[in-house]
Amino acid sequence: MGLETTLPLFEQEAHLVTERSRLTGGLTFQILKHSGVSLAHIVEIRRLREATGQSCDVTTDPAWFVAKTIAEKRRPWLVLVRQSGGLVAVLQLAEKCFFSIPTGYLRGGDAFGQGFLIASPHSREMLLRAGLEALFGRTHAQFLLLSLDASKHN
């Protein structure tokens, strides 16, 4: 019964992604929560880190991020942003849980790195806005706290 009731929601969600992509210049979004992150996603994100010059920042490594988030008893979320089928950005967020119940309160980044956003420097702002719009438009997320390295934003 559970599968029958959730399947139409996934179909509806996929439809919303297609609609949203028309509004944001051909971008499509995939939101992965906790157990939805696979080895294939990790490999793809690591390739993006190399392409964007962020491979030296450990906070952008998806395996490190997922392990750290789970160790902190939070729930990892990844927002994958694609253009023409290729991965162009990833938002890495951690959801606060209360007695293992998701709260909708998300946090991204820290003072030491830019781990919450993996994207090309010249399109970071646009991709961040599009990813956040998709996140809040398609999920139960209610609040987001982003921390940035102040030395990189003069």
Side-chain angles (χ1 to χ4, degrees):
M1 182 175 166
L3 183 60
E4 293 171 8
T5 58
T6 57
L7 193 55
L9 292 177
F10 290 139
E11 290 171 4
Q12 225 175 9
E13 220 170 292
H15 177 62
L16 289 174
V17 171
T18 304
E19 289 300 314
R20 186 165 303 282
S21 70
R22 290 189 196 125
L23 300 174
T24 55
L27 297 176
T28 56
F29 307 91
Q30 182 179 13
I31 298 173
L32 306 173
K33 299 177 194 174
H34 193 61
S35 60
V37 181
S38 70
L39 183 58
H41 293 117
I42 290 174
V43 170
E44 186 179 25
I45 293 168
R46 284 182 173 163
R47 284 188 191 127
L48 178 63
R49 289 175 66 225
E50 290 287 331
T52 60
Q54 293 176 279
S55 60
C56 292
D57 183 353
V58 71
T59 64
T60 63
D61 186 276
W64 178 86
F65 170 76
V66 169
K68 176 185 173 284
T69 302
I70 292 170
E72 293 174 344
K73 301 202 185 311
R74 295 178 182 261
R75 187 172 163 193
W77 289 42
L78 299 179
V79 179
L80 306 182
V81 183
R82 298 181 186 281
Q83 188 170 37
S84 302
L87 188 64
V88 293
V90 178
L91 278 75
Q92 298 185 129
L93 306 166
E95 181 177 24
K96 184 176 182 168
C97 295
F98 184 72
F99 292 106
S100 300
I101 300 170
T103 62
Y105 282 68
L106 304 174
R107 180 181 175 104
D110 59 34
F112 303 107
Q114 299 295 317
F116 75 92
L117 178 61
I118 304 167
S120 173
H122 61 81
S123 58
R124 288 174 68 86
E125 184 177 337
M126 184 273 297
L127 293 169
L128 175 61
R129 287 179 190 215
L132 291 177
E133 186 178 308
L135 175 72
F136 283 103
R138 297 181 50 220
T139 67
H140 70 273
Q142 298 179 27
F143 180 81
L144 176 64
L145 175 65
L146 291 178
S147 299
L148 303 171
D149 179 355
S151 68
K152 296 182 182 178
H153 300 281
N154 297 328

